[in-house]
């Protein structure tokens, strides 16, 4: 077993090339934040960026800021920054709306490209809102489409020529298990199906290669690993070859070829911009833009390298120092198929997580019994991981999680 | 003709009960802002409110803020404040997404409530995105629905029992002409049709009485008269009696009965909340919340009284001081059927508006020849109206609008 010590890890931190990035984030004193996969923390540049958008751009330049400060192209500018992180071309990504709304747009668009097929294939581990959105679209279309759910491990083999669209979240939100994007996409294309990837727990967590995998469509979230702030706008990707075939179901003026001509008939803009709908939420998008700049500086290769080292370390420490407390690894042991999070199952997962949070070690709980820990190399230190495991060990040793206050059920986002 | 003088108007300002409200907004020195119907100016409380949401709530309390600072109920809290302004009950309004996206939701929901009918009736003066969204939905549904457009004056008589839904913007975005909400809604109900009102240029501009008119559905904009900031989230209204009949086509997790149970099947929440979809844009919504608080303090009756006085004054001054320059009133002369804006047509409208903006009198231009001026009683003074008309008169007298720089075509949002 491990002979690593706290001192070793402090040494790792001193030698960490990403170490200086931590200063770019506000992490409350004493907090070990293992929930950046749910809501990334605030970059230190964000308050000033947002204040400038509010006070200078909106406050001083008013309506003129749509041109003067480039608000009108902010969705494309942010999209190009995200494209860098996910292996897409700059003109293949745009920021808009929420992940759920973007998913609806691309699901509907994809089904139209396969009018003779009726199956959306997904897996039982998909994030629920993805399934809900598909269910809502199917009910709306009322054309006998089917949402076919299989166990995640069966997704590849379930792809056949009845499938119009494979809709998967690449990284399982509970376990962190990663689908093989290239293999699944390739098999789908082989039988004439399209593929839509939800990158909510991928973008900014590790390098994604949409172009390499020849992915058709993707959506993703702005407020997790991209550190864009609560409810930050989401993004969507449409591969170049599909862009002018896509008919946006949410055909709003910002996706019109000439929004300010005020024509009565909708004509989609060329390229990715047709997937915009209403007026973009500039203040929230400005915060996202600030988060993206930091990721661009750090680079995804360095992030991934540290992420693997951190998740490996956490598993090792848990299995060394918390071996006796009934935790069961829920994430894949192989880092190759694991995102940037590690989850453990425990029958008393809910009160244990509540006790951890009380000690300022912030992870989260997912029903029925999953303790979920996100590892975000930009602001997390190896020493934090050591301390988190020790605090958990103390909680388990003392049984302090087993207090009534930790058993109260409450919303955990 | 008028014998009102600038001195009279300064006296009006001194006696204006809403006069003190102006101090609650940041209006750049020397600017006469007649574009609050496009993008409302920044309330002075907003920077601090947004900074608190960024630095204290997000920065310090992180993920816990969903509960601790009530982010999770912000859509409903803001909705209740808007309800006060539009004659709805608090539980009938929620803030979410953009106007276009909300329109899609309610259009789709309304058509499902009238499955045997195929006509959406609207008018040729409707804001283009409303028409685009209807066109996109019709194409998506592929069930032979028709978007039937009539001249605004013919809307009432065009309502017959083929109509599933009457979809109108209450206040014409170009002319400010108001439809009679109660009369149209009543006729529609008489033939079994539903009515959806777009309140983009109504909410916050004058008292709206959705309940009094027995309206079925409504949507509206957060960044115009509500002063919520660029691209502020929009709102939607569903009358109580329809709420649990509505099947949301954008069925995301925030509209689920139990979002944090992570069930695989969508079950809509009871009431208005089912019309939420993805995670709300908290930072943008916080700015909207600040804008709403000011409107609540001022009260819509006082706002309307001053608004009528201002639009009457502007028409009178234009027809007195700018009578010789070829402006033609495009808005209704009767304030009873006019919103809070006044438009004039002029063949050279575009360069004239550009010259006005150059002089910091900010209105906007709408194709093909409309100069549009918004009158927003919270921060506009009677003296400003005098000055704006004099500046326009000087521009016309000198012919200074007729310079090449003003003829360059550019996007005007």
């Amino acid at each position: 077993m491990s002979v690593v010590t706290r001192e070793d890890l402090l040494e790792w931190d001193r030698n960490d090339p990403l170490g200086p990035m931590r200063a770019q984030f506000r992490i409350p004193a004493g907090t070990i934040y293992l929930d950046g996969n749910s809501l990334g923390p605030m970059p230190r540049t964000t308050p000033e960026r947002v204040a400038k958008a509010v006070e200078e751009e909106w406050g001083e330049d008013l309506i003129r800021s749509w041109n003067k400060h480039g608000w009108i192209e902010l969705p494309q500018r942010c999209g190009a920054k995200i494209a860098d992180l996910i292996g897409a071309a700059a003109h293949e990504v745009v920021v808009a709306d929420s992940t759920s709304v973007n998913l609806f747009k691309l699901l509907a668009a994809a089904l139209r490209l396969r009018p003779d097929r009726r199956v959306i294939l997904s897996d039982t581990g998909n994030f629920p809102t993805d399934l809900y959105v598909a269910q809502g679209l199917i009910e709306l279309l009322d054309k006998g489409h089917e949402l076919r759910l299989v166990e995640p491990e069966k997704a590849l083999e379930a792809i056949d020529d009845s499938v119009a669209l494979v809709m998967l979240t690449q990284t399982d939100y509970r376990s962190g298990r990663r689908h093989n994007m290239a293999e699944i996409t390739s098999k789908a294309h082989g039988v004439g199906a399209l593929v839509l990837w939800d990158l909510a727990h991928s973008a900014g967590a590790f390098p994604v290669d949409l172009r390499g995998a020849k992915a058709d469509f993707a959506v993703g979230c702005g407020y997790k690993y991209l550190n864009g702030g609560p409810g930050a706008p989401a993004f969507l990707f449409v591969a170049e070859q599909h862009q002018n075939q896509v008919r946006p179901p949410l055909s709003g003026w910002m996706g019109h070829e000439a929004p300010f001509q005020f024509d009565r008939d909708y004509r989609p803009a060329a390229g990715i911009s047709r997937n915009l709908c209403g007026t973009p939420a500039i203040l929230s998008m400005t915060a996202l833009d600030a988060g993206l700049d930091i990721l661009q500086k750090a680079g995804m290769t360095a992030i991934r390298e540290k992420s693997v080292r951190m998740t490996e370390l956490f598993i090792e420490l848990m299995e060394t120092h918390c071996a006796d407390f009934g935790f069961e690894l829920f994430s894949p042991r192989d880092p190759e198929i694991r995102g940037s999070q590690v989850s453990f199952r425990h029958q008393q997962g809910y009160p244990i997580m509540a006790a951890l949070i009380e000690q300022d070690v912030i992870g989260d709980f997912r029903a029925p019994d999953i303790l979920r820990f996100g590892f975000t190399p930009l602001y997390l230190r190896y020493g934090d991981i050591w301390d988190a495991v020790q605090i958990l060990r103390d909680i388990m040793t003392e049984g302090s999680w087993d207090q009534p206050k930790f058993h109260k059920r409450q919303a955990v986002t």
Side-chain angles (χ1 to χ4, degrees), chain A:
Chain A
M1 292 305 277
S2 169
V3 291
V4 73
T5 65
R6 188 169 195 275
E7 286 61 42
D8 294 336
L9 298 179
L10 298 182
E11 181 67 19
W12 291 16
D13 282 322
R14 280 189 292 272
N15 296 325
D16 173 14
L18 287 178
M21 299 301 294
R22 178 176 168 90
Q24 304 229 16
F25 292 88
R26 169 137 163 209
I27 308 294
T31 292
I32 299 176
Y33 195 59
L34 304 175
D35 211 13
N37 52 324
S38 187
L39 174 66
M42 189 197 81
R44 290 202 178 271
T45 51
T46 304
E48 194 183 320
R49 290 278 290 274
V50 173
K52 177 180 176 292
V54 173
E55 299 189 55
E56 192 179 315
E57 301 178 9
W58 175 23
E60 199 61 33
D61 291 319
L62 290 157
I63 191 76
R64 290 170 288 208
S65 293
W66 285 103
N67 294 314
K68 183 171 176 186
H69 297 290
W71 288 350
I72 197 75
E73 289 127 20
L74 190 55
Q76 289 86 353
R77 280 207 313 281
C78 287
K81 291 178 187 178
I82 293 171
D84 266 1
L85 310 174
I86 59 175
H91 64 279
E92 290 178 318
V93 183
V94 76
V95 169
D97 300 310
S98 66
T99 310
S100 299
V101 169
N102 289 336
L103 190 72
F104 180 91
K105 295 174 189 169
L106 297 187
L107 268 180
L111 291 184
R112 281 190 199 183
L113 295 177
R114 292 294 179 271
D116 299 328
R117 299 188 181 193
R118 286 290 174 274
V119 174
I120 300 172
L121 177 68
S122 191
D123 72 42
T124 54
N126 206 341
F127 190 70
T129 203
D130 295 38
L131 305 180
Y132 303 159
V133 167
Q135 290 162 7
L137 175 65
I138 287 171
E139 187 178 298
L140 180 72
L141 293 178
D142 190 23
K143 286 186 170 175
H145 285 89
E146 173 198 347
L147 176 61
R148 186 176 294 167
L149 296 184
V150 298
E151 294 300 307
E153 300 70 26
K154 303 281 176 63
L156 183 68
E157 69 188 70
I159 298 169
D160 62 32
D161 65 9
S162 71
V163 174
L165 179 72
V166 179
M167 171 189 85
L168 292 171
T169 295
Q170 185 191 17
T171 308
D172 188 290
Y173 76 105
R174 293 170 310 163
S175 70
R177 183 262 316 130
R178 282 162 59 172
H179 278 302
N180 186 322
M181 179 181 279
E183 186 179 38
I184 285 176
T185 304
S186 172
K187 178 159 184 198
H189 289 172
V191 297
L194 296 163
V195 186
L196 191 166
W197 291 101
D198 182 340
L199 303 177
H201 294 270
S202 304
F206 52 81
V208 176
D209 189 8
L210 287 173
R211 287 207 136 194
K214 298 189 166 54
D216 301 293
F217 304 103
V219 297
C221 177
Y223 55 79
K224 298 176 184 291
Y225 293 95
L226 305 186
N227 306 309
F235 66 87
L236 62 82
F237 158 90
V238 178
E240 187 176 64
Q241 72 272 19
H242 296 310
Q243 289 188 351
N244 292 330
Q245 268 70 55
V246 159
R247 292 292 300 181
L250 296 176
S251 46
W253 69 320
M254 287 292 147
H256 193 277
E257 188 180 66
F260 301 106
Q261 280 185 22
F262 299 101
D263 294 332
R264 277 184 209 149
D265 291 313
Y266 178 69
R267 295 191 313 277
I272 193 73
S273 298
R274 66 177 55 185
N275 300 290
L276 299 178
C277 183
T279 307
I282 295 300
L283 303 184
S284 281
M285 209 175 290
T286 297
L288 173 61
D289 196 33
L292 293 173
D293 287 342
I294 295 178
L295 272 164
Q296 292 222 307
K297 259 182 274 176
M300 289 311 305
T301 306
I303 288 174
R304 176 61 178 168
E305 195 175 315
K306 182 173 170 188
S307 161
V308 169
R309 206 170 175 197
M310 293 193 121
T311 54
E312 290 284 277
L313 173 68
F314 181 65
I315 294 170
E316 181 185 319
L317 293 176
M318 281 291 289
E319 295 187 339
T320 312
H321 298 269
C322 288
D324 301 332
F325 303 119
F327 293 103
E328 180 192 341
L329 182 66
F330 185 60
S331 298
R333 196 167 288 277
D334 177 4
E336 284 299 307
I337 57 166
R338 195 171 65 217
S340 202
Q341 65 175 79
V342 174
S343 302
F344 283 89
R345 303 180 67 172
H346 193 289
Q347 278 198 332
Q348 300 298 333
Y350 184 82
I352 291 170
M353 182 54 76
L356 264 174
I357 292 172
E358 178 91 355
Q359 300 284 318
D360 292 324
V361 177
I362 303 180
D364 60 25
F365 175 79
R366 287 293 175 261
D369 59 1
I370 297 164
L371 298 106
R372 193 173 73 152
F373 302 93
F375 295 89
T376 43
L378 289 176
Y379 44 85
L380 207 61
R381 298 168 298 200
Y382 295 105
D384 292 331
I385 298 177
W386 174 278
D387 292 345
V389 172
Q390 299 314 311
I391 290 167
L392 178 56
R393 190 179 65 167
D394 291 348
I395 287 170
M396 299 309 295
T397 305
E398 297 161 11
S400 59
W401 58 271
D402 198 14
Q403 295 175 18
K405 66 174 174 176
F406 296 131
H407 287 263
K408 203 181 82 188
R409 194 59 193 257
Q410 57 185 327
V412 180
T413 303

